[in-house]
Amino acid sequence: MPEKPYDHIQIELKWHERWQDADFYKAEENSARPKFYVLEMLPYPSGMLHIGHIRNYSIGDALARYKWMQGFNVLHPMGWDAFGLPAENAAIKNNRPPREWTLENIAAMKKTHRRFAFSYDWDREVSTCEPEYYRWNQWFFLKMLERGLAYRKRALVNWCTKCATVLANEQVVDGCCWRHEDTPVEQRALEQWFLKITHYADELLDDMTGLEGGWPERVLTMQRNWIGRSEGAEVDFHLDGTGEPIRVFTTRVDTIYGATCVILAPEHPLTDGLLDGDLKAKAKAMVDSRAGRDPGDIDKEGLFTGHYAINPYSGEKVPIWIANFVLMGYGTGAIMAVPAHDERDFEFCRKYGIAVRPVVRPVDGELAVEPGMTAPYCEYGIVENSGQWSGLASADARRQMSAFADQQDFGKTAITYRLKDWGISRQRYWGTPIPVIHCPDCGVVPVPEAQLPVILPDRIEITGTGRSPLENVPEFVNVACPVCGKAARRETDTMDTFMDSSWYFYRYCDAHNSTMPFDPAKIAYWFEIDQYIGGVEHAILHLIYSRFFTKMMRDIGLIKNSEPARRLFTQGMVIANGAKMSKSKGNVVGADQLADKFGADTARMFVMSNVPPEKEVDWSDKGAEGTYRFLGRVYRFTTRNIPAEPRSGTSDRKVLRKLHQTLRKITEDFETRWHFNTCIASIMELVNQLYAEEQEISAEAMRQVLQTLALMLAPFAPYVVQDMWEELGNEGPVFRQRWPAFDPELAKEDEAEVVIQVNGKLRGRMTAAFGTAKEELEARALTDEKVKPFIEGKQVVKIITVPDKLVNVVVK
RNA sequence: GCGAGGAUGGCGAAAUUGGCAGACGCAGUAGCCUUAGGAGCUACCGGCCGAAAGGUCGUGGGGGUUCAAGUCCCCCUCCUCGCACCA
């Protein structure tokens, strides 16, 4: 029995030490046992392990332990990957390499991880910041290059002037840099490497139907929006005079007879030739004024170019405008405006007095008369005033008219995506070097596979100028061209670290393979991941990239599966002071703070104990003591009842019933909904009852209770339980034990408690044997002493009886 | 604007299929134990009326369905998240 309040931290630490040589957790690939691969999207070594991470852990870890005790062959690698962005930025600020990557810091990180995760499998350690991992990142890059899935082009990139660096799309928040919320992101043109994720756009979209049920609907919706497929047509209008084509994208060719102008994005390449100096400056101003603003707040503005375009269907001449609401990055950067049937076009054309001409009528209505319109007219119906297509339904007209454009060679059916190819070039020190060499004669030359990995030089100076710091390291940059042998330059950009995280969970299955990224046979056994767990913040980026990688690896013949994870669980975020807990926000609460005070068991159990895992929590450590107290109560109860004293046993039945009811609840929860907060609550109820009945529990029942209690608590509080397990006289890890089966007979109540209501209000209760006849229950209810006063003098209208549960007497 | 989720005691919350609202924990109150208590144990703990027994009201607001509604339907308010001129 602990003497001091926080004594059992010592127990946990003892176990913490023993864990160092734990060897019992070894997955057995290709064994006959059913496999279960559970993985958390995990804390990366760039920041300290905080409460949000522990929450992620505790859920996955409890599940892994449960599955293991259920007899599954479990892989739960407890990964840590190399999202390094916060660290990089800290490093840039401090003008030194990120301290998080030093060996000591990595070692410290491992220690913390070990403290919380029993299953950190050292044989499977995958560190994405090590040369061996670079090798395979680079190997994949070269494979993609061979297949045309990686390419280089000049492109506009997001640029923060204050950070002096390129920003990934995900680091742009409302048009501004995520670290400088008042600094609009600029667009700069740079030579960049891209991965052709759009090659898989349709498959990424279509395969989501197979994920339904296993993945949260919310995540699937976000991915669908992100991919943003839309079917339509591209059609050429022709510049009046020169006949130069202006290609527009539309999903509604069928309304083209209602097009009353053509609008170009202000950045559209054609604007150069169309505009004179004055207008050009205005167009430029339009581009600039859009930067950094919430699109919803921007009023539509446009200017007339003074030029006209010819509608290829009607031959009509319509004005060409430039407007701020037309986006260069989507479709062709040019649209036809059909104000009568599109809200945005309507708003714009009204503002500038451009004609509104309806060409679609409702199936059973008339074509709208123009002057009275205050909002765009009906969207779908019958096409009118549209030449030979008049009278067709919208959908038919659309099909036939885009086919016509194809025949006449002035357009085609087209599918547009919001999804863009993935720009992976980063002008940063930390990241996998992109394995290519620039030769003045041979051009871009891939680094030969035998020369991989290209590794980062040790000593660099963080410049903070926005050019890769690697450019200043001559021994890195200057190489001989692998083809012709002449002096050449090595590529100095590094890869986006999302590259690392896109396939780390494959490497876990075969972490030390030095001839391949992994052995396909091992992947075939472990994949798909049975349960992936992580925060919803990864819904778009990581979870699309890793799906893309999976399909790419399948196509190069490495794996058979097309999706990485069968089921995805998104746990709620941990909020602190109104913001998501994250290092960049500076509001992290360290996991160690809690663990140092109460121990790792309390810390992990507490984060699960108040709220179901999918729900967001506003962090507070109020109440952690309750969890701590509870574990102390369990521990004391267990130890003081070894050996069990001879006692009456009059409470045996009651206690065993509660025990099995609790066990049933936990088992069901693990299998279905993971509401561990209520699981923990029910174990607390059990323990409260054990305290109340302690003196009346026989030695045999006590023994059984203590063993089972330990087993069912094991997934939640592994260290204390292991200790109790040994004090109970058992040997070896508690996880070698089978999860106890609940006994439905023992869990059953002797008698049903039947509630008596009068007009739906609770007025009394009675106990009755299960299956007691309706008539008997009703008779007893009507004569019940407590119920009588509410019935007397009134007329009983009817009686509703739910067997074993309730009698409701309706009176008037 | 569109989409999703949410609103229950002083607080975090539970109520899984329409059937006892508030499990469990925190905070609080009282008592026991103790040289001591920042430990432990026991009891109480939604509002109002009442000494108590008990009654009555009560799940964001309004209406409805039902013998019975936190739960189902309609309307409204507020909060959180995601998307947002995507043609």
Side-chain angles (χ1 to χ4, degrees), chain A residues 21-96:
Chain A
D21 44 37
D23 68 345
F24 55 82
Y25 185 79
K26 279 262 161 59
E28 295 152 33
E29 287 101 343
N30 303 318
S31 76
R33 305 169 77 188
K35 63 95 188 178
F36 195 86
Y37 186 176
V38 57
L39 180 70
E40 294 113 41
M41 281 176 213
L42 240 236
Y44 33 92
S46 61
M48 71 167 158
L49 212 56
H50 63 63
I51 299 295
H53 299 137
I54 291 308
R55 194 173 190 213
N56 194 184
Y57 252 143
S58 309
I59 298 165
D61 205 44
L63 184 68
R65 289 164 199 267
Y66 169 77
K67 284 287 174 184
W68 181 256
M69 292 172 82
Q70 284 273 328
F72 282 80
N73 189 21
V74 177
L75 176 54
H76 177 223
M78 212 309 285
W80 52 307
D81 57 359
F83 293 87
L85 299 171
E88 282 172 65
N89 286 315
I92 287 164
K93 206 158 95 192
N94 301 324
N95 198 29
R96 58 174 173 70

Side-chain angles (χ1 to χ4, degrees), chain A residues 264-275:
Chain A
L264 307 179
E267 317 83 320
H268 196 283
L270 268 178
T271 58
D272 247 7
L274 291 179
L275 302 179

Side-chain angles (χ1 to χ4, degrees), chain A residues 313 389 392 395-405 407:
Chain A
Y313 287 83
W389 293 280
L392 288 177
D396 296 333
R398 195 182 67 197
R399 260 191 301 277
Q400 294 185 23
M401 290 171 79
S402 62
F404 180 77
Q407 279 162 29

Side-chain angles (χ1 to χ4, degrees), chain A residues 509-542:
Chain A
C509 298
D510 192 13
H512 301 290
N513 197 321
S514 56
T515 57
M516 297 183 85
F518 43 75
D519 175 358
K522 293 187 175 172
I523 301 305
Y525 175 75
W526 282 112
F527 269 71
E528 301 168 335
I529 295 168
D530 294 278
Q531 184 67 61
Y532 202 21
I533 302 171
V536 73
E537 66 273 19
H538 293 118
I540 302 297
L541 299 152
H542 167 58

Side-chain angles (χ1 to χ4, degrees), chain A residues 144-422:
Chain A
M144 284 189 268
L145 195 59
E146 269 170 34
R147 273 149 220 267
L149 290 172
Y151 63 92
R152 183 173 150 91
K153 73 166 186 200
R154 196 165 184 83
L156 290 173
V157 294
N158 305 306
W159 185 273
C160 174
T161 48
K162 287 199 180 161
C163 297
T165 186
V166 165
L167 296 177
N169 284 334
E170 68 272 14
Q171 291 167 329
V172 180
V173 180
D174 291 334
C176 293
C177 170
W178 65 311
R179 293 180 62 230
H180 302 102
E181 288 171 13
D182 54 343
T183 310
V185 166
E186 288 181 12
Q187 301 288 305
R188 290 200 180 179
L190 292 174
E191 290 280 337
Q192 300 276 296
W193 284 98
F194 289 86
L195 299 185
K196 209 165 176 180
I197 190 169
T198 53
H199 176 74
Y200 292 99
D202 277 323
E203 204 192 336
L204 286 167
L205 199 62
D206 295 343
D207 286 357
M208 268 186 256
T209 52
L211 299 177
E212 267 159 27
W215 283 40
E217 200 47 51
R218 186 161 60 130
V219 172
L220 295 178
T221 304
M222 283 163 83
Q223 293 210 358
R224 285 197 185 98
N225 291 342
W226 185 262
I227 295 168
R229 177 188 154 107
S230 86
E231 287 180 42
E234 287 179 9
V235 174
D236 291 333
F237 280 66
H238 295 275
L239 191 59
D240 188 33
T242 67
E244 193 177 348
I246 304 170
R247 179 149 286 211
V248 304
F249 174 75
T250 177
T251 53
R252 298 296 307 277
V253 216
D254 53 303
T255 63
I256 198 165
Y257 280 79
T260 50
C261 67
V262 164
I263 311 177
L264 307 179
E267 317 83 320
H268 196 283
L270 268 178
T271 58
D272 247 7
L274 291 179
L275 302 179
D276 60 25
D278 189 29
L279 286 176
K280 218 174 255 184
K282 283 187 182 162
K284 172 85 169 71
M286 207 181 271
V287 177
D288 292 344
S289 76
R290 200 161 56 183
R293 290 176 59 191
D294 183 347
D297 294 346
I298 301 175
D299 288 333
K300 290 184 175 50
E301 274 174 33
L303 41 102
F304 178 45
T305 59
H307 296 265
Y308 292 84
I310 310 293
N311 183 326
Y313 287 83
S314 65
E316 189 188 1
K317 203 163 105 176
V318 295
I320 302 174
W321 285 68
I322 284 171
N324 60 351
F325 74 97
V326 178
L327 306 174
M328 193 57 224
Y330 183 78
T332 59
I335 65 162
M336 61 177 202
V338 184
H341 305 291
D342 182 281
E343 206 179 319
R344 297 154 305 187
D345 296 348
F346 183 82
E347 188 190 334
F348 181 78
C349 291
R350 268 295 150 108
K351 179 168 176 181
Y352 290 100
I354 301 165
V356 177
R357 186 192 311 144
V359 291
V360 182
R361 66 167 172 86
V363 177
D364 51 359
E366 299 293 310
L367 208 59
V369 185
E370 191 183 320
M373 291 176 65
T374 53
Y377 197 50
C378 92
E379 261 195 282
Y380 296 97
I382 307 295
V383 171
E384 294 295 353
N385 295 339
S386 298
Q388 64 191 95
W389 293 280
S390 298
L392 288 177
S394 297
D396 296 333
R398 195 182 67 197
R399 260 191 301 277
Q400 294 185 23
M401 290 171 79
S402 62
F404 180 77
D406 211 0
Q407 279 162 29
Q408 303 291 311
D409 212 24
F410 62 77
K412 58 171 188 185
T413 59
I415 296 165
T416 303
Y417 301 91
R418 210 185 85 116
L419 181 72
K420 295 274 172 293
D421 278 338
W422 174 15

